[in-house]
Amino acid sequence: MAVVRREDIAEKSPQAIPLPSIGAVLLSQLQRGDIGAVLAVETAIEQAVLHGCSDLYIEPRRTGTLLRFRMDGALIDVASFPRDYHERVIARIKVLAQLPVYLHSAPMDGRIEPAPRWKGRSLRVATLPTIEGEKA
């Protein structure tokens, strides 16, 4: 398996995608195989920053995974995708935050160092085990 770094990702979009279209973009990226989770997480974080969100939530559900943004104090459902991709997305977030990927039964906190296209923002990451799977 190849190691993929943020700097190696070719798809860099400096423009905000309309909120209703983010789900389709993320799903198409997730379907691209091993690099799909990498692209989708980068896109989700980038779009959250470009839309001025204070928080980004990835929540497991029985039927799929829900991506939510907190904008102006309101929690907005932005995208949902099949459960098949949930573990890869959470694993990618843990890798970026330098958290142990193998540990699923304990809450963890970490930090993702800023990327230039994230407007220099350092991101705090918290994961929490739930009945449906890990939440970030």
Side-chain angles (χ1 to χ4, degrees):
M1 177 166 32
V3 175
V4 180
R5 298 181 316 230
R6 267 187 259 173
E7 299 83 28
D8 297 336
I9 297 173
E11 292 185 24
K12 295 179 183 172
S13 172
Q15 301 199 9
I17 299 168
L19 286 176
S21 302
I22 292 175
V25 171
L26 294 178
L27 185 57
S28 70
Q29 290 174 332
L30 286 167
Q31 293 171 338
R32 291 181 62 183
D34 289 339
I35 197 168
V38 174
L39 295 172
V41 168
E42 293 288 326
T43 300
I45 293 171
E46 182 178 90
Q47 291 305 310
V49 169
L50 290 172
H51 283 282
C53 301
S54 61
D55 300 307
L56 177 141
Y57 299 90
I58 299 171
E59 301 176 353
R61 305 283 188 204
R62 283 191 192 127
T63 58
T65 298
L66 184 61
L67 173 71
R68 304 169 94 186
F69 288 173
R70 182 173 302 281
M71 297 174 65
D72 298 324
L75 210 49
I76 300 169
D77 295 354
V78 175
S80 63
F81 48 89
R83 267 308 281 275
D84 300 344
Y85 302 111
H86 181 79
E87 287 186 29
R88 284 193 263 172
V89 169
I90 295 295
R92 180 59 185 167
I93 290 169
K94 285 181 168 184
V95 166
L96 289 172
Q98 299 178 353
L99 297 171
V101 177
Y102 61 87
L103 189 59
H104 304 284
S105 59
M108 292 184 276
D109 289 310
R111 180 166 300 284
I112 298 175
E113 293 304 316
R117 63 187 180 281
W118 297 344
K119 300 181 181 179
R121 294 183 185 175
S122 177
L123 307 173
R124 187 180 74 83
V125 174
T127 64
L128 181 68
T130 68
I131 293 172
E132 300 296 332
E134 277 187 289
K135 189 175 170 175

